[in-house]
Structure formats: structure tokens, C-alpha cells
Amino acid sequence: MATPADPSFRGSVRRLVPLAWPVLVGQVSVLGFATVDTVLVARYDAADLAALAIGAAAYITVFIGLMGVVLALAPIVGQLQGARRFADAGRQVHQAVWIALGLTLLGSTLLLLPAPFLALARVPPELEPRVRGYLGALAFSLPAALLFTVYRGFNTAVSRPKAVMALQLAGLALKIPLSIALVRGVPALGVPALGVVGCGVATLIAMWALAVAAFVVVRRDPFYAPYALGGRARGLLGLRLDPPDRRALAAQLRLGVPLGLTIVIEVTGMTFIALLIARLGTTAVAGHQIAANLAALLFMIPLALGNATSTLVAQAIGARDEADARRLCWHGLALGLAVALVVGGTVYLLRVPIVGLYTADPAVQAAALALVAWLAWFHLGDAGQTVAAFALRAWRVATVPLVIYAVVIWGVGLGGGYLLAFDVLGLTPGPLLGAPGFWAAGAFALLLTAVLLATFLAWMLRQRRG
């Protein structure tokens, strides 16, 4: 008979942290892709940094939404894992691969034809070739990125995040020298300096290396034997892949499409800001890129805790232990908020030396510092809404969060930020003109989203109990 889980907050922390820290390390290594690119390009050329900000905003908008659809695999597998239906969990992986391949066609097309993003950002003619070159390379990296997302979602759901972390760290180790060589060039080897385009090519190579490595691990590691990941038929390129299953695909898409749209709304609340700030000039967008990269780095902490919370909650639901699932929801949220208060406050106090690590340009530093001042509140809201949203996903609830995100993130955050930044109503205080207006509105929107999601989670759990 299994030993009952410790119901205290400390007991939950002891269960959450071993799952969260490998996710944190792995996701930081993935974010390291963007951080390395930002630092290298910031010291290479300001125009290339502006092109990177615009291109990264477009890529993230496309990739993150598609990734969200694929990651519907995680709560489904988590519940099957809790119910000890291992072979059924493995069959879900094959259907997720088909979804990833289908989404690749859509995503790569958008990246190869980025005219809508360029028009929204009003990209100057001198930057357009750099943005198109960067996105063109990433278009061919997208299939690998989505296939690796399947591997990541499955391993997280079965409480094996270290397997993902190991490959993500290896990917960063490959990405760093590639970016250095391709951004600045290596004349002795005949490698030209590609600037921001070199960042995209380095990511392309690193992501395909990760996807191939993940495939090899799944084929050779005996851990995966109970899940029957070898499949029942030979399919694509001679690989053993189950044929598409309408019911399984529909179940994943019913959850995945709202999840993907939710993530698109959340991310575009930030990426569209970058595109709009591009209208304010190179210095403003470069300062935003630094602050946004720092915010993304901090976001990895609640993302890791949210993943851990969702995994344990889904497994508890599958094991029909709803009391444990409820406790984990609230303990995960409390832990996420407590950590966010400490981390956000620390970054605020150290904001000057931190920004100095990114750039030595005084104008860009000043632009970034005006935004980082809002980061503590921004991060607190981000932590609250992230963990609450992941807890809801474990219960396979996605539609109501989608509505909340659409109204608050787009309406209050993006819409309100536009009114403040460009002084549409003629009422904006001086300190909130320009990019700071977007960040102030974004921080308020995230805090409001966290409150609404937590309130809905409480209501949903009361309804299930009743």
C-alpha cells in the first residue's frame, strides 16, 4: 500500500521542487538561446538588435501558440500516468507527433511570409532584409522545435524532467559557439559575419540536433518500454508511428487549441508591444528587448513551478485522489507567489548592474532601466497567473482562462498600454509616455489576470466538491 502524501505545505514543497528545478534549468537553457543572441547582437550592431527584437517577437508569437497546442499532451498523459495506464499514455505521444507535423506547415509558412508582422512594426527598409533572413532560418527550425516539444511534454507528465533538462543543456552548449561564430564571423575559416541572421542559423542547427537526440533517447532508454512508444505500424520515413486516431486527435485538440490561443494572447501581450515600440525608434526597441529578455528569464521560475504543479495535480486526478489534487493547486500557487516576491524585489534592487551586463550604450541603458522599474510587479502578476493557469490545465479546463486572457491581457494590457504610451487621450503622465506606458499597463493586467484565474479555480473546485 502506497504511503499517503504529506498534506502540509512543506510536504507539497518537497514534492514540487524535485520536479520544478530540472524544468527551471532546462527552460533557462532554452531562454539562453535568446539571451546569448541578445547579448551578442547588442554588442555587434544596434540595428541588428532592433531587427532581432522584431524578428523574435514574430517568431515567439507563432511558435509559442503552436507549442501550446502540442503541450495539451502533458495533462492527458499525466492523468493516464496517475491511473497507471502506461500504454495508453504512449499512444497519445504518437497522436501528438501528427499534430506537431501538421502545425509545422502553418507555422513555417507564416515565418517565411512575415509581411503582416513587418507591416505592424512598420519596419524600416534597411531592417527588413535582416528580419526576413532571421525568420527564414527559424522557419526551418520549427519542425524540430515542435517535435522536441512532444518529447518535453511527455517526459514532464511522467515526472521525468531531468531527461529533458539534459538535452536542453546540451543544446545550449552547441548554440553558444555557433552563435558566436555566425554573428561575428570567423575569417580564418571563411565564415562570414551574418549578424542577426547568424542567430537564426545557429538556432536551426541546435534545434535539429535536439530533436534527433530526443529520438535516439526514446529508442534506446528502457524507461520508455512500458509506454510502447515503438508504435504498431510503420509510417513516416519508415519510422514506427501509429496512424492518426480521430478520437485521440480530437481530444488533444479540444484542449490544445484553447491552450494554444491562451498562450498566444499572453505572449502577444508582450510581443505586440515590441512591434509597436519599434515605431518609437531603435533606442526604445533595444531597451525594451533587454527588459523583455530579463522578464522572460524571471518567468522561467513560475513556469517551472507551474509545470510541476500541473504534473502532480494531473497524476493525483488520474489516481482519483482529489483531495491531494486540491491541496497541490493552492500550495503550488502560494509557493509561486512567495518566490516571485523575493526574486522580483532582488532584481529591482540590482537593476542598474544587471542592465549594464547587456549593453554599455548609455541611451539604451536609460531606456531599459525605465522599464525594469516595473518588473517586480510584472513578475508577481506573471507568477500568479502562470501557476493558476497550469493548475486549471491539469483539470483539463482551458476555455474560461482563454476568455480571461483575451479580455484582460489584450484589452487592459495591450489596449491600455497603447493609450498610455501614445497619449491617445491626452492624460498620460510624463513618466508613462512611450514604452513605460506599455509596461505599467502590462503589469496591472497580469496582476488582474492572476486574481481572476485564482478566483475561478476556487469556484471550480467548490463546484466539484458540491
Side-chain angles (χ1 to χ4, degrees):
M1 187 174 187
T3 304
D6 183 350
S8 68
F9 176 71
R10 180 178 294 182
S12 294
V13 170
R14 287 174 177 168
R15 297 166 64 191
L16 288 165
V17 170
L19 293 180
W21 77 259
V23 174
L24 173 60
V25 173
Q27 288 303 113
V28 168
S29 69
V30 171
L31 183 61
F33 280 40
T35 303
V36 167
D37 289 345
T38 299
V39 172
L40 286 173
V41 174
R43 297 180 181 274
Y44 176 76
D45 185 81
D48 274 65
L49 181 60
L52 176 65
I54 296 165
Y59 174 72
I60 291 171
T61 301
V62 172
F63 169 66
I64 291 293
L66 301 182
M67 180 193 73
V69 178
V70 175
L71 283 179
L73 173 71
I76 293 173
V77 168
Q79 291 188 11
L80 293 171
Q81 175 79 3
R84 303 188 68 77
R85 294 167 55 188
F86 303 131
D88 288 339
R91 281 191 283 272
Q92 292 291 330
V93 173
H94 290 258
Q95 304 311 309
V97 169
W98 286 115
I99 290 173
L101 294 175
L103 293 176
T104 289
L105 297 176
L106 171 63
S108 294
T109 300
L110 290 172
L111 294 174
L112 289 171
L113 302 172
F117 296 107
L118 300 177
L120 181 61
R122 297 180 183 175
V123 176
E126 64 272 16
L127 292 185
E128 184 172 330
R130 308 183 200 201
V131 177
R132 285 184 178 274
Y134 175 71
L135 291 177
L138 293 180
F140 292 99
S141 78
L142 185 64
L146 290 177
L147 289 172
F148 187 78
T149 298
V150 175
Y151 175 81
R152 169 190 154 197
F154 176 77
N155 278 279
T156 300
V158 299
S159 300
R160 207 167 188 252
K162 291 180 183 178
V164 182
M165 177 190 73
L167 292 186
Q168 289 170 326
L169 287 172
L172 179 61
L174 176 61
K175 163 73 173 175
I176 291 173
L178 283 173
S179 285
I180 292 172
L182 294 173
V183 170
R184 296 185 172 275
V186 185
L189 300 177
V191 178
L194 298 177
V196 67
V197 177
C199 296
V201 175
T203 298
L204 167 64
I205 297 170
M207 285 311 308
W208 275 106
L210 277 178
V212 171
F215 176 75
V216 172
V217 169
V218 168
R219 289 290 296 270
R220 296 186 177 181
D221 191 333
F223 169 84
Y224 299 100
Y227 300 96
L229 292 177
R232 294 170 292 174
R234 290 198 174 275
L236 186 67
L237 300 177
L239 303 179
R240 294 173 63 89
L241 189 65
D242 285 357
D245 181 316
R246 286 187 179 182
R247 294 182 62 182
L249 290 172
Q252 289 194 31
L253 290 173
R254 276 196 301 270
L255 179 61
V257 170
L259 287 181
L261 291 174
T262 297
I263 295 174
V264 166
I265 291 169
E266 181 184 0
V267 171
T268 52
M270 178 63 72
T271 58
F272 280 7
I273 290 174
L275 298 176
L276 292 169
I277 289 176
R279 303 179 182 183
L280 301 174
T282 300
T283 299
V285 76
H288 170 77
Q289 175 67 9
I290 291 171
N293 183 258
L294 183 55
L297 179 61
L298 298 186
F299 174 67
M300 295 302 104
I301 301 173
L303 179 62
L305 290 172
N307 269 287
T309 301
S310 182
T311 296
L312 292 178
V313 170
Q315 290 179 3
I317 294 169
R320 298 186 179 183
D321 189 351
E322 286 205 7
D324 190 37
R326 293 168 187 272
R327 280 193 303 269
L328 287 163
C329 286
W330 298 120
H331 289 169
L333 182 58
L335 179 60
L337 291 172
V339 173
L341 281 170
V342 174
V343 172
T346 301
V347 170
Y348 176 77
L349 294 174
L350 299 176
R351 62 192 182 280
V352 174
I354 288 174
V355 170
L357 295 175
Y358 283 90
T359 179
D361 186 322
V364 176
Q365 284 185 350
L369 286 171
L371 309 182
V372 174
W374 288 98
L375 195 57
W377 291 111
F378 192 97
H379 180 57
L380 182 64
D382 220 3
Q385 64 87 14
T386 298
V387 179
F390 269 90
L392 286 165
R393 290 172 199 175
W395 297 90
R396 301 197 193 185
V397 175
T399 303
V400 172
L402 171 61
V403 174
I404 291 173
Y405 276 92
V407 172
V408 180
I409 300 297
W410 275 352
V412 178
L414 192 57
Y418 185 88
L419 294 178
L420 287 173
F422 296 103
D423 197 16
V424 175
L425 302 178
L427 301 173
T428 304
L432 295 184
L433 289 171
F438 280 112
W439 278 74
F444 177 75
L446 286 172
L447 289 166
L448 179 58
T449 300
V451 170
L452 292 175
L453 288 175
T455 301
F456 176 70
L457 176 62
W459 176 85
M460 185 205 72
L461 293 178
R462 282 198 303 269
Q463 293 298 112
R464 291 185 63 86
R465 181 173 290 171

